[in-house]
Amino acid sequence: MSWQDIQLHTFTAWINDYLKDRGMHINDLKTDLKDGVALLNLLEIISGKPIGKRWNKNPRVPNQKYENNQIAIEFVQAEGLKLVNIGGVDITDGNLRITLGLIWTLILRYQVNRGGSGDENAKSELLKWVQSKIPEYNVTGFKKDAVAPGSFPHHAALDSSKAIDNCDQGINTANDVLGIPKLLTPEALSNPRIDEQSVITYISYFRNADLEGKNRADELSRQAAKCRAYGPGLVEAVAGEPADFVVDTPTQDGKLEIKVEGPAGASNVPVQVNKKQGPGGAATYDVSYNPTTPGLYKVHVTYNGIHIPGSVFTVRILEAISLGGEGKIRVFYSTTSSTEKGRRDVFDLQRLLEAKKVHLRPDFEPWIAVDIMEKDDRDAVFKKAGTRNLPIVFIDDKYVGDFDTVATLEENGKLNSLLKFNERA
């Protein structure tokens, strides 16, 4: 296991520890931040501030994803954090080195330097705290001396030759007593190639737990705090389609209760729960409910009668899947059409729209090539349109048709109304 593998795992776990407050979760740091949605939510959570700019909740096209991540970068800069050679395009393009650098900048400010005297002093202040807790170990740095588990009451009697076992006990005790997330595996924490940043991220939780008095919480509250729920069914879903999410609990025998409240006429929504055994005595629950009416739903998730982090979740149920094109005129096409008609339709549609000067309007997004879109986004376009026939025209995120349909609308004098010439010309 390389230092970068360890850091990737640690930073991903750190992000998820905060995103659980909004029912969100990432699996791959390189790809799951590309659209900016998770990153913008993370920034709001860790800063305690709204982004302050309108951003796209349903980015499907590359330009929207670039815009979201650029808004995120500008927010970070407005917070006074120094970013060197980092732009929104780097995050959208999946530049792992730059993404890791950005996440470390956030960790240093919002996790390590919580209420401290400055980012540049955050590491030394944290080290002083560690030294004050276990002075007998003469800790001089985070990497070399990382594994002294100060929260373990019998640490002095541990066999130093059993590093992995010792780390396992320390990590489990910290999680059980203080609710500190298991950002690192015992193998990673005892690995001589572990990076300093991963260790600092993990150790900062001990200091923060000490400052917050987390060790005074009762057992039931600690158990509920270690639960997490995540998935689209806790964020956004479509009416008439299953809304799914997952709940992870620390034990098999706790009482999990889920209640879904919908808008008027859709209260007490039935919920299906499938329990599975998780690792180390934990449990995982696959949850699904079927919202029938668009609107805002409330999802209550309690464990032994106590709300877990993020609960009560507010879920937006849409009338139909969103492509993020509300208020826009869009044309999806293929740059590699294999038929003469397909190529001709693109040319004729472009000529028709340009004759109406649609291409000069601010609500017209440039032609979007489906063959350069992510597969999930491309499939969403076809699903919403109900066809794979290109070119595809959407107005206000509603499917209008292909070229033949648009041409017929023009012949019948109905196209100008759809394009809302009087409102937008």
Side-chain angles (χ1 to χ4, degrees):
M1 182 183 297
S2 70
W3 71 265
Q4 189 177 67
D5 291 332
I6 296 173
Q7 187 176 101
L8 186 60
H9 178 274
T10 305
F11 286 9
T12 301
W14 178 80
I15 292 171
N16 285 331
D17 184 49
Y18 283 95
L19 287 182
K20 68 184 180 184
D21 288 348
R22 296 193 177 180
M24 301 178 70
H25 182 86
I26 67 168
N27 295 307
D28 189 333
L29 187 65
K30 183 178 180 180
T31 60
D32 292 354
L33 298 184
K34 281 187 171 185
D35 62 9
V37 174
L39 181 57
L40 286 163
N41 275 277
L42 174 67
L43 290 173
E44 288 191 336
I45 296 168
I46 61 178
S47 71
K49 302 175 183 178
I51 293 300
K53 289 185 178 180
R54 185 176 180 180
W55 53 277
N56 202 297
K57 305 295 191 299
N58 302 99
R60 294 289 185 179
V61 300
N63 187 54
Q64 289 179 320
K65 299 177 182 183
Y66 291 132
E67 289 177 352
N68 273 359
N69 279 315
Q70 189 57 41
I71 290 172
I73 295 298
E74 291 171 359
F75 179 88
V76 172
Q77 292 172 329
E79 285 282 279
L81 280 74
K82 295 181 180 179
L83 300 179
V84 180
N85 296 325
I86 299 179
V89 64
D90 298 306
I91 310 302
T92 306
D93 288 350
N95 187 314
L96 184 57
R97 179 183 63 83
I98 289 181
T99 301
L100 288 172
L102 172 63
I103 299 304
W104 170 244
T105 299
L106 299 179
I107 291 173
L108 190 59
R109 166 60 63 87
Y110 298 104
Q111 178 74 33
V112 183
N113 185 31
R114 182 178 292 184
S117 56
D119 294 349
E120 65 278 3
N121 299 319
K123 292 195 297 182
S124 61
E125 291 297 322
L126 181 61
L127 182 58
K128 289 178 182 178
W129 178 86
V130 173
Q131 292 167 338
S132 73
K133 293 298 180 181
I134 46 175
E136 65 270 30
Y137 282 94
N138 190 30
V139 177
T140 59
F142 289 102
K143 187 172 180 181
K144 181 173 75 68
D145 304 310
V147 299
S151 67
F152 191 66
H154 307 297
H155 58 88
L158 295 175
D159 184 347
S160 61
S161 67
K162 298 180 179 179
I164 293 179
D165 291 341
N166 295 343
C167 288
D168 186 51
Q169 290 187 62
I171 289 170
N172 286 328
T173 300
N175 183 253
D176 291 339
V177 177
L178 301 177
I180 292 174
K182 298 180 179 182
L183 301 191
L184 292 166
T185 64
E187 292 77 13
L189 186 54
S190 61
N191 192 322
R193 292 191 293 272
I194 191 172
D195 64 295
E196 183 185 59
Q197 294 174 348
S198 291
V199 177
I200 290 173
T201 303
Y202 181 59
I203 295 300
S204 67
Y205 275 91
F206 289 79
R207 188 273 317 277
N208 295 347
D210 184 40
L211 294 175
E212 297 168 2
K214 284 188 176 180
N215 58 327
R216 292 191 292 271
D218 61 72
E219 177 62 21
L220 289 180
S221 295
R222 288 199 298 267
Q223 292 295 323
K226 288 187 283 187
C227 298
R228 62 174 180 171
Y230 54 92
L234 294 177
V235 182
E236 184 178 272
V238 177
E241 298 183 7
D244 302 328
F245 62 95
V246 174
V247 181
D248 293 329
T249 64
T251 65
Q252 291 275 340
D253 52 2
K255 184 179 181 181
L256 178 71
E257 292 183 292
I258 299 170
K259 182 175 70 172
V260 179
E261 297 177 344
S267 59
N268 298 321
V269 180
V271 179
Q272 295 181 328
V273 181
N274 179 34
K275 180 180 179 180
K276 300 184 296 186
Q277 185 171 350
T284 295
Y285 298 81
D286 292 327
V287 185
S288 181
Y289 63 97
N290 286 282
T292 57
T293 306
L296 292 181
Y297 285 61
K298 300 288 186 181
V299 179
H300 303 248
V301 183
T302 59
Y303 192 63
N304 295 324
I306 299 173
H307 283 278
I308 72 169
S311 180
V312 179
F313 299 93
T314 299
V315 187
R316 185 170 62 143
I317 303 300
L318 306 176
E319 183 177 356
I321 186 173
S322 173
L323 301 179
E326 291 82 4
K328 301 289 185 180
I329 300 170
R330 284 175 164 178
V331 180
F332 294 89
Y333 78 111
S334 172
T335 62
T336 58
S337 178
S338 59
T339 67
E340 175 61 31
K341 181 179 183 340
R343 293 189 292 271
R344 185 70 188 180
D345 283 351
V346 170
F347 175 80
D348 289 341
L349 180 59
Q350 180 178 0
R351 186 173 60 177
L352 172 60
L353 295 178
E354 288 182 354
K356 291 180 170 293
K357 302 189 184 303
V358 171
H359 64 298
L360 301 178
R361 290 168 49 166
D363 58 345
F364 179 71
E365 287 196 342
W367 292 66
I368 303 167
V370 295
D371 38 326
I372 65 170
M373 296 174 65
E374 300 282 346
K375 182 180 183 301
D376 288 347
D377 297 330
R378 181 168 59 249
D379 289 344
V381 170
F382 294 143
K383 178 180 179 180
K384 188 173 180 72
T387 180
R388 302 178 72 92
N389 292 333
L390 294 165
I392 289 174
V393 179
F394 281 93
I395 299 176
D396 280 340
D397 216 43
K398 293 180 174 59
Y399 175 63
V400 173
D402 56 11
F403 169 70
D404 291 338
T405 303
V406 172
T408 300
L409 290 168
E410 171 67 0
E411 291 174 4
N412 294 335
K414 297 180 179 180
L415 183 58
N416 284 358
S417 176
L418 282 174
L419 294 172
K420 299 182 180 178
F421 262 67
N422 292 334
E423 298 178 26
R424 302 177 182 173

